[in-house]
Amino acid sequence: MIILSAVLMCGCGERDDKSGKVENIIFMIGDGMGPAQITALAIMQDYEPLNMERARYTGLHKTYSANNRVTDSAAAGTAMASGEKTCNGHVGIDTLGRLLESSLMSAQRSGKATGLVVTVEPMAATPAAFYAHIDDRWDYDSIAMDMLRSGIDVIAGTGAGALRKVTRPYGEVDVIAGLQAAGYTFASDMESFMAVGQTPAAMLYEQNELPYTFADSLGVRGDYLPCATAKALELLERSGKNGFFLMVEGSLIDYGGHDNDIAAVLGEIRDFDNAVKVAFDYADTHPGTLVVVTGDHETGGLTIVSPEEDFTKGAEGVEYRFSTGDHSGTLIPVYAYGTGAENFTGVMDNTDLAKKMKALLSFD
Ligand SMILES: [Zn+2]
């Protein structure tokens, strides 16, 4: 009884469990989330700490790809998933076209459950880098076929409509029907997803694009990302497998950056940070869980300028300027939490993130 209450008392803070074995990894990627985006959210919150700032182990990573100082999401996703730099546009293959094994696939091979939770189509470059192998990130039809064969236990995102009509050389394929034939419980909204009790499961909204959170007046989206993260954790835990690997992406931070729309960026990064809270809270109560939070690259070349440096003006005294409609090549912050977090400090390469995760997953 005394031991039990001691364990419970530890439940409200981060475990500094350096000797512990990493059983579960939650890899959280804010697509297009650079230092200025994170700072902008801190300003919006009057410098109240972000959830990701609960992490005591932090670092930076270099994002350049094999053929460009400024990476795209395909090369960045591949580097962070597999540990190999590749060319922009390539998903899950190296510069010579050889297939790469992602950390998610390594986890699957060692008997762990796996999941992907994103705010776009799961065929988009970042999630695709964890299961697909192709030299053209925009070939969603081929990527969808890789997803059908992936064996990932929990998939959440958008684009079910497009997945019902995937074009192949021999005709059309209904990937949703294929998932169901493979045993997946399929849901097309969060209400029915919350009622799902077993894996494999897929929750895919019919449409390809969700509204930005700040423009979600009809409540199409609500708290989808934090809620789907919590639900995925519940399902992965229930799968009965020996731990899990879950990738969560705040995909639309990048879209806001491409649109040079600060309101979109702020809403999306706050939504992502709410999902980080779900993951960190899970790590607090589940020893052996590592959470790594980072971005894949910066989008928009965002800078925060304030000519008058006037704190009395509050948020209006701040001016946000974008310098590009594309990505930029800056270092990206890393926040690590839970068991094994101490491995993710200092200045790293984006490939180091995958290498470290694979190493932590492989010792038995
Ligand atoms: Zn982008």
Side-chain angles (χ1 to χ4, degrees):
M1 202 61 197
I2 292 162
I3 294 167
L4 179 67
S5 56
V7 167
L8 289 174
M9 272 161 60
C10 293
C12 50
E14 184 188 6
R15 286 162 191 275
D16 203 353
D17 193 8
K18 286 189 185 170
S19 57
K21 181 176 176 330
V22 174
E23 300 284 355
N24 312 313
I25 293 183
I26 309 172
F27 190 10
M28 308 190 72
I29 302 171
D31 200 304
M33 185 182 78
Q37 282 80 359
I38 295 167
T39 310
L41 180 60
I43 291 171
M44 189 178 77
Q45 296 186 174
D46 269 338
Y47 296 103
E48 280 296 311
L50 277 55
N51 290 306
M52 54 185 99
E53 289 176 23
R54 281 163 58 186
R56 284 187 293 126
Y57 295 99
T58 59
L60 294 163
H61 76 84
K62 300 171 191 174
T63 62
Y64 68 93
S65 72
N67 69 337
N68 205 307
R69 292 184 183 87
V70 180
T71 190
D72 75 340
S73 288
T78 300
M80 295 195 301
S82 72
E84 295 284 334
K85 296 253 189 213
T86 193
C87 300
N88 287 4
H90 287 197
V91 171
I93 58 170
D94 70 8
T95 54
L96 301 173
R98 291 176 296 210
L99 309 194
L100 298 168
E101 183 175 88
S102 72
S103 45
L104 182 147
M105 289 298 162
S106 303
Q108 192 177 56
R109 199 158 48 77
S110 66
K112 293 189 185 295
T114 56
L116 285 179
V117 174
V118 299
T119 50
V120 287
E121 301 96 319
M123 298 80 80
T126 308
F130 287 82
Y131 65 84
H133 308 281
I134 191 156
D135 61 1
D136 176 9
R137 62 174 288 188
W138 300 113
D139 184 355
Y140 278 18
D141 287 341
S142 296
I143 294 172
M145 296 307 292
D146 279 356
M147 185 177 81
L148 179 54
R149 290 185 286 259
S150 69
I152 295 172
D153 299 277
V154 181
I155 301 170
T158 70
L163 282 166
R164 293 178 206 282
K165 289 180 258 176
V166 165
T167 308
R168 306 309 303 154
Y170 45 85
E172 242 173 42
V173 176
D174 182 339
V175 168
I176 299 299
L179 288 171
Q180 287 170 315
Y184 282 77
T185 307
F186 176 72
S188 57
D189 58 57
M190 278 304 285
E191 202 182 340
S192 37
F193 186 45
M194 292 314 275
V196 173
Q198 64 193 31
T199 53
M203 197 304 288
L204 296 165
Y205 291 105
E206 287 296 318
Q207 70 265 38
N208 292 339
E209 280 197 27
L210 292 174
Y212 287 128
T213 53
F214 88 98
D216 187 29
S217 51
L218 298 176
V220 173
R221 178 171 163 189
D223 284 329
Y224 155 68
L225 188 63
C227 291
T229 300
K231 182 64 186 180
L233 289 169
E234 177 209 314
L235 287 171
L236 292 170
E237 197 179 313
R238 264 205 227 174
S239 72
K241 293 188 185 171
N242 166 36
F244 62 78
F245 183 99
L246 172 65
M247 197 285 274
V248 177
E249 185 193 33
S251 322
L252 299 181
I253 302 166
D254 174 67
Y255 286 41
H258 283 290
D259 289 347
N260 284 189
D261 183 338
I262 191 65
V265 169
L266 286 169
E268 293 308 316
I269 201 165
R270 181 159 60 178
D271 182 57
F272 177 67
D273 193 51
N274 289 337
V276 169
K277 179 184 189 311
V278 171
F280 282 9
D281 288 351
Y282 185 90
D284 283 342
T285 50
H286 296 77
T289 302
L290 165 69
V291 189
V292 177
V293 183
T294 190
D296 55 348
H297 53 71
E298 195 275 347
T299 305
L302 179 63
T303 54
I304 301 166
V305 290
S306 181
E308 296 171 34
E309 295 176 26
D310 187 353
F311 255 101
T312 62
K313 289 187 176 173
E316 280 116 68
V318 182
E319 191 183 331
Y320 297 101
R321 269 187 220 156
F322 292 93
S323 58
T324 176
D326 212 320
H327 303 167
S328 76
T330 182
L331 291 164
I332 299 293
V334 178
Y335 302 85
Y337 193 86
T339 306
E342 69 280 2
N343 293 288
F344 295 82
T345 59
V347 179
M348 295 169 273
D349 196 274
N350 57 3
T351 55
D352 291 331
L353 300 173
K355 287 174 188 163
K356 288 169 189 286
M357 285 184 208
K358 285 184 176 182
L360 288 169
L361 287 169
S362 69
F363 77 95
D364 237 335

